[in-house]
Short mmCIF file of all heavy atoms in Angstrom, two decimals:
data_model
loop_
_atom_site.label_atom_id
_atom_site.label_comp_id
_atom_site.label_asym_id
_atom_site.label_seq_id
_atom_site.Cartn_x
_atom_site.Cartn_y
_atom_site.Cartn_z
N GLU A 1 0.82 -1.22 0.03
CA GLU A 1 -0.04 0.00 -0.03
C GLU A 1 0.87 1.27 0.00
O GLU A 1 0.57 2.23 -0.71
CB GLU A 1 -0.92 0.00 1.21
CG GLU A 1 -2.06 -1.05 1.16
CD GLU A 1 -2.93 -1.02 2.38
OE1 GLU A 1 -2.74 -0.07 3.20
OE2 GLU A 1 -3.80 -1.88 2.49
N ALA A 2 1.95 1.25 0.77
CA ALA A 2 2.82 2.41 0.84
C ALA A 2 3.51 2.63 -0.52
O ALA A 2 3.64 3.79 -1.01
CB ALA A 2 3.91 2.20 1.93
N GLU A 3 3.96 1.56 -1.16
CA GLU A 3 4.61 1.69 -2.49
C GLU A 3 3.62 2.19 -3.52
O GLU A 3 3.92 3.07 -4.34
CB GLU A 3 5.19 0.36 -2.88
CG GLU A 3 6.08 0.45 -4.15
CD GLU A 3 6.78 -0.86 -4.44
OE1 GLU A 3 6.54 -1.85 -3.69
OE2 GLU A 3 7.54 -0.90 -5.42
N ALA A 4 2.36 1.67 -3.43
CA ALA A 4 1.35 2.10 -4.37
C ALA A 4 1.01 3.60 -4.15
O ALA A 4 0.78 4.34 -5.12
CB ALA A 4 0.07 1.25 -4.20
N ALA A 5 1.04 4.03 -2.89
CA ALA A 5 0.76 5.46 -2.66
C ALA A 5 1.83 6.38 -3.25
O ALA A 5 1.50 7.42 -3.80
CB ALA A 5 0.70 5.66 -1.10
N LEU A 6 3.07 5.97 -3.20
CA LEU A 6 4.16 6.72 -3.79
C LEU A 6 4.03 6.74 -5.32
O LEU A 6 4.26 7.77 -5.95
CB LEU A 6 5.53 6.18 -3.38
CG LEU A 6 5.87 6.39 -1.90
CD1 LEU A 6 7.16 5.62 -1.57
CD2 LEU A 6 6.06 7.86 -1.61
N LEU A 7 3.67 5.62 -5.87
CA LEU A 7 3.50 5.55 -7.36
C LEU A 7 2.35 6.45 -7.80
O LEU A 7 2.45 7.13 -8.81
CB LEU A 7 3.28 4.15 -7.80
CG LEU A 7 4.48 3.16 -7.63
CD1 LEU A 7 4.10 1.71 -7.95
CD2 LEU A 7 5.63 3.56 -8.59
N ASP A 8 1.25 6.41 -7.09
CA ASP A 8 0.07 7.25 -7.41
C ASP A 8 0.46 8.73 -7.27
O ASP A 8 0.07 9.55 -8.11
CB ASP A 8 -1.12 6.92 -6.51
CG ASP A 8 -1.64 5.53 -6.79
OD1 ASP A 8 -1.31 4.97 -7.83
OD2 ASP A 8 -2.38 4.96 -5.93
N SER A 9 1.16 9.05 -6.23
CA SER A 9 1.58 10.45 -5.98
C SER A 9 2.45 10.94 -7.12
O SER A 9 2.28 12.04 -7.63
CB SER A 9 2.27 10.57 -4.68
OG SER A 9 2.73 11.88 -4.44
N ALA A 10 3.41 10.13 -7.51
CA ALA A 10 4.30 10.53 -8.62
C ALA A 10 3.52 10.72 -9.90
O ALA A 10 3.78 11.70 -10.69
CB ALA A 10 5.40 9.48 -8.81
N GLU A 11 2.54 9.84 -10.15
CA GLU A 11 1.72 9.98 -11.39
C GLU A 11 0.93 11.27 -11.35
O GLU A 11 0.81 11.94 -12.40
CB GLU A 11 0.84 8.73 -11.52
CG GLU A 11 -0.02 8.73 -12.78
CD GLU A 11 0.81 8.68 -14.05
OE1 GLU A 11 1.99 8.24 -14.03
OE2 GLU A 11 0.27 9.07 -15.10
N ARG A 12 0.33 11.63 -10.23
CA ARG A 12 -0.48 12.84 -10.14
C ARG A 12 0.44 14.05 -10.37
O ARG A 12 0.00 15.02 -11.05
CB ARG A 12 -1.15 12.92 -8.75
CG ARG A 12 -2.34 12.01 -8.57
CD ARG A 12 -3.14 12.39 -7.37
NE ARG A 12 -2.36 12.26 -6.14
CZ ARG A 12 -2.31 11.14 -5.37
NH1 ARG A 12 -3.01 10.07 -5.78
NH2 ARG A 12 -1.58 11.10 -4.31
N LEU A 13 1.59 14.03 -9.81
CA LEU A 13 2.49 15.22 -9.98
C LEU A 13 2.97 15.33 -11.44
O LEU A 13 3.05 16.44 -11.93
CB LEU A 13 3.74 14.99 -9.08
CG LEU A 13 3.42 15.15 -7.56
CD1 LEU A 13 4.64 14.78 -6.74
CD2 LEU A 13 3.05 16.58 -7.22
N ARG A 14 3.15 14.21 -12.08
CA ARG A 14 3.54 14.30 -13.53
C ARG A 14 2.42 14.85 -14.35
O ARG A 14 2.65 15.68 -15.26
CB ARG A 14 3.93 12.89 -14.03
CG ARG A 14 5.39 12.53 -13.66
CD ARG A 14 5.82 11.26 -14.44
NE ARG A 14 5.12 10.12 -13.98
CZ ARG A 14 5.61 9.29 -13.06
NH1 ARG A 14 6.74 9.56 -12.46
NH2 ARG A 14 4.90 8.20 -12.68
N LYS A 15 1.19 14.42 -14.07
CA LYS A 15 0.04 14.93 -14.83
C LYS A 15 -0.14 16.41 -14.57
O LYS A 15 -0.69 17.15 -15.43
CB LYS A 15 -1.21 14.17 -14.42
CG LYS A 15 -1.26 12.76 -14.96
CD LYS A 15 -2.54 12.06 -14.58
CE LYS A 15 -2.61 10.61 -15.14
NZ LYS A 15 -3.86 9.96 -14.78
N ALA A 16 0.26 16.88 -13.35
CA ALA A 16 0.14 18.30 -13.06
C ALA A 16 1.34 19.11 -13.57
O ALA A 16 1.36 20.34 -13.31
CB ALA A 16 0.04 18.48 -11.52
N GLY A 17 2.23 18.45 -14.25
CA GLY A 17 3.38 19.13 -14.82
C GLY A 17 4.52 19.41 -13.81
O GLY A 17 5.47 20.13 -14.14
N GLN A 18 4.46 18.80 -12.62
CA GLN A 18 5.46 18.97 -11.61
C GLN A 18 6.51 17.85 -11.72
O GLN A 18 6.56 16.93 -10.87
CB GLN A 18 4.87 19.08 -10.24
CG GLN A 18 3.82 20.15 -10.06
CD GLN A 18 3.18 20.16 -8.70
OE1 GLN A 18 3.88 20.00 -7.68
NE2 GLN A 18 1.89 20.42 -8.63
N MET A 19 7.29 17.88 -12.73
CA MET A 19 8.23 16.81 -13.04
C MET A 19 9.29 16.64 -11.96
O MET A 19 9.68 15.55 -11.64
CB MET A 19 8.86 17.01 -14.42
CG MET A 19 7.87 17.02 -15.56
SD MET A 19 6.88 15.45 -15.64
CE MET A 19 5.80 15.85 -16.96
N GLU A 20 9.79 17.75 -11.46
CA GLU A 20 10.86 17.69 -10.46
C GLU A 20 10.36 17.04 -9.15
O GLU A 20 10.99 16.20 -8.54
CB GLU A 20 11.40 19.04 -10.22
CG GLU A 20 12.74 19.09 -9.46
CD GLU A 20 13.87 18.44 -10.22
OE1 GLU A 20 13.81 18.47 -11.48
OE2 GLU A 20 14.76 17.85 -9.59
N ALA A 21 9.12 17.41 -8.77
CA ALA A 21 8.52 16.87 -7.55
C ALA A 21 8.26 15.38 -7.79
O ALA A 21 8.42 14.55 -6.85
CB ALA A 21 7.22 17.59 -7.19
N ALA A 22 7.81 14.98 -8.95
CA ALA A 22 7.54 13.58 -9.27
C ALA A 22 8.86 12.73 -9.19
O ALA A 22 8.84 11.62 -8.66
CB ALA A 22 6.92 13.42 -10.65
N LYS A 23 9.96 13.30 -9.65
CA LYS A 23 11.21 12.58 -9.53
C LYS A 23 11.65 12.40 -8.08
O LYS A 23 12.19 11.35 -7.75
CB LYS A 23 12.33 13.41 -10.29
CG LYS A 23 12.14 13.34 -11.82
CD LYS A 23 13.30 14.15 -12.44
CE LYS A 23 13.15 14.15 -13.96
NZ LYS A 23 14.24 14.95 -14.64
N LYS A 24 11.36 13.36 -7.23
CA LYS A 24 11.74 13.24 -5.81
C LYS A 24 10.89 12.14 -5.15
O LYS A 24 11.39 11.35 -4.34
CB LYS A 24 11.50 14.55 -5.09
CG LYS A 24 12.47 15.65 -5.45
CD LYS A 24 12.22 16.94 -4.64
CE LYS A 24 13.23 17.98 -5.00
NZ LYS A 24 12.98 19.26 -4.23
N VAL A 25 9.61 11.99 -5.52
CA VAL A 25 8.78 10.95 -5.00
C VAL A 25 9.28 9.57 -5.42
O VAL A 25 9.38 8.63 -4.63
CB VAL A 25 7.32 11.15 -5.40
CG1 VAL A 25 6.47 9.98 -4.96
CG2 VAL A 25 6.73 12.46 -4.79
N GLU A 26 9.65 9.46 -6.72
CA GLU A 26 10.17 8.23 -7.21
C GLU A 26 11.51 7.83 -6.53
O GLU A 26 11.71 6.73 -6.19
CB GLU A 26 10.35 8.30 -8.71
CG GLU A 26 10.85 7.09 -9.38
CD GLU A 26 9.94 5.85 -9.23
OE1 GLU A 26 8.75 6.08 -9.02
OE2 GLU A 26 10.42 4.71 -9.23
N GLN A 27 12.33 8.83 -6.29
CA GLN A 27 13.58 8.57 -5.60
C GLN A 27 13.32 8.14 -4.14
O GLN A 27 14.04 7.28 -3.64
CB GLN A 27 14.48 9.84 -5.65
CG GLN A 27 15.86 9.63 -5.05
CD GLN A 27 16.66 8.62 -5.80
OE1 GLN A 27 16.53 8.42 -7.01
NE2 GLN A 27 17.55 7.92 -5.06
N THR A 28 12.33 8.73 -3.55
CA THR A 28 11.97 8.34 -2.19
C THR A 28 11.57 6.86 -2.16
O THR A 28 11.93 6.11 -1.25
CB THR A 28 10.83 9.23 -1.65
OG1 THR A 28 11.26 10.61 -1.56
CG2 THR A 28 10.37 8.75 -0.26
N ARG A 29 10.77 6.44 -3.16
CA ARG A 29 10.32 5.07 -3.21
C ARG A 29 11.50 4.13 -3.34
O ARG A 29 11.59 3.08 -2.65
CB ARG A 29 9.38 4.86 -4.38
CG ARG A 29 8.74 3.47 -4.45
CD ARG A 29 7.91 3.34 -5.69
NE ARG A 29 8.70 3.29 -6.90
CZ ARG A 29 9.29 2.20 -7.39
NH1 ARG A 29 9.15 1.05 -6.76
NH2 ARG A 29 10.02 2.25 -8.48
N ILE A 30 12.44 4.48 -4.23
CA ILE A 30 13.60 3.60 -4.44
C ILE A 30 14.43 3.49 -3.16
O ILE A 30 14.87 2.38 -2.76
CB ILE A 30 14.50 4.12 -5.58
CG1 ILE A 30 13.69 4.07 -6.90
CG2 ILE A 30 15.80 3.39 -5.70
CD1 ILE A 30 14.35 4.74 -8.08
N GLU A 31 14.65 4.59 -2.47
CA GLU A 31 15.50 4.60 -1.28
C GLU A 31 14.77 3.87 -0.12
O GLU A 31 15.44 3.17 0.67
CB GLU A 31 15.84 6.03 -0.87
CG GLU A 31 16.73 6.73 -1.84
CD GLU A 31 16.97 8.19 -1.45
OE1 GLU A 31 16.31 8.66 -0.45
OE2 GLU A 31 17.74 8.87 -2.13
N ALA A 32 13.43 3.99 -0.05
CA ALA A 32 12.71 3.34 1.06
C ALA A 32 12.71 1.84 0.89
O ALA A 32 12.50 1.15 1.94
CB ALA A 32 11.25 3.87 1.05
N LEU A 33 12.90 1.30 -0.26
CA LEU A 33 12.91 -0.12 -0.49
C LEU A 33 14.27 -0.78 -0.30
O LEU A 33 14.46 -1.94 -0.44
CB LEU A 33 12.37 -0.47 -1.88
CG LEU A 33 10.88 -0.16 -2.09
CD1 LEU A 33 10.51 -0.37 -3.56
CD2 LEU A 33 9.98 -1.07 -1.23
N GLN A 34 15.25 0.03 0.04
CA GLN A 34 16.63 -0.49 0.21
C GLN A 34 16.72 -1.20 1.55
O GLN A 34 16.18 -0.75 2.54
CB GLN A 34 17.63 0.65 0.11
CG GLN A 34 17.76 1.26 -1.27
CD GLN A 34 18.69 2.47 -1.31
OE1 GLN A 34 19.33 2.78 -0.35
NE2 GLN A 34 18.80 3.07 -2.45
N ARG A 35 17.44 -2.31 1.57
CA ARG A 35 17.69 -3.10 2.75
C ARG A 35 19.19 -3.44 2.83
O ARG A 35 19.75 -4.00 1.86
CB ARG A 35 16.89 -4.42 2.72
CG ARG A 35 15.42 -4.23 2.40
CD ARG A 35 14.68 -3.65 3.62
NE ARG A 35 13.23 -3.52 3.32
CZ ARG A 35 12.60 -2.39 3.19
NH1 ARG A 35 13.23 -1.28 3.30
NH2 ARG A 35 11.32 -2.36 2.98
N ASP A 36 19.79 -3.14 3.98
CA ASP A 36 21.21 -3.46 4.09
C ASP A 36 21.49 -4.94 4.03
O ASP A 36 22.51 -5.38 3.44
CB ASP A 36 21.74 -2.82 5.38
CG ASP A 36 21.92 -1.32 5.26
OD1 ASP A 36 21.75 -0.78 4.18
OD2 ASP A 36 22.21 -0.70 6.28
N LEU A 37 20.62 -5.75 4.69
CA LEU A 37 20.91 -7.14 4.78
C LEU A 37 19.56 -7.95 4.90
O LEU A 37 18.73 -7.60 5.70
CB LEU A 37 21.79 -7.53 5.97
CG LEU A 37 22.17 -9.00 6.20
CD1 LEU A 37 23.00 -9.51 5.04
CD2 LEU A 37 22.91 -9.17 7.50
N VAL A 38 19.42 -8.95 4.01
CA VAL A 38 18.27 -9.85 4.10
C VAL A 38 18.80 -11.27 4.05
O VAL A 38 19.59 -11.67 3.22
CB VAL A 38 17.33 -9.63 2.84
CG1 VAL A 38 16.17 -10.61 2.87
CG2 VAL A 38 16.80 -8.20 2.81
#
């Protein structure tokens, strides 16, 4: 659900023409999924 929320947010920002904000949301998603050890 959290990952879907970030994807939806990035899509809304892109549709609104806020490309830079959308990139930050996408980068947040990538960093949040990082795990040091599994």
Side-chain angles (χ1 to χ4, degrees):
E1 290 182 6
E3 189 174 1
L6 290 173
L7 291 173
D8 293 342
S9 178
E11 182 63 23
R12 286 194 297 270
L13 291 171
R14 278 192 291 267
K15 289 182 178 179
Q18 302 179 39
M19 298 303 177
E20 195 63 30
K23 288 181 180 179
K24 289 182 178 180
V25 173
E26 181 61 25
Q27 184 62 30
T28 297
R29 185 184 70 84
I30 294 173
E31 293 176 356
L33 291 173
Q34 293 176 4
R35 310 284 182 249
D36 285 353
L37 181 63
V38 177

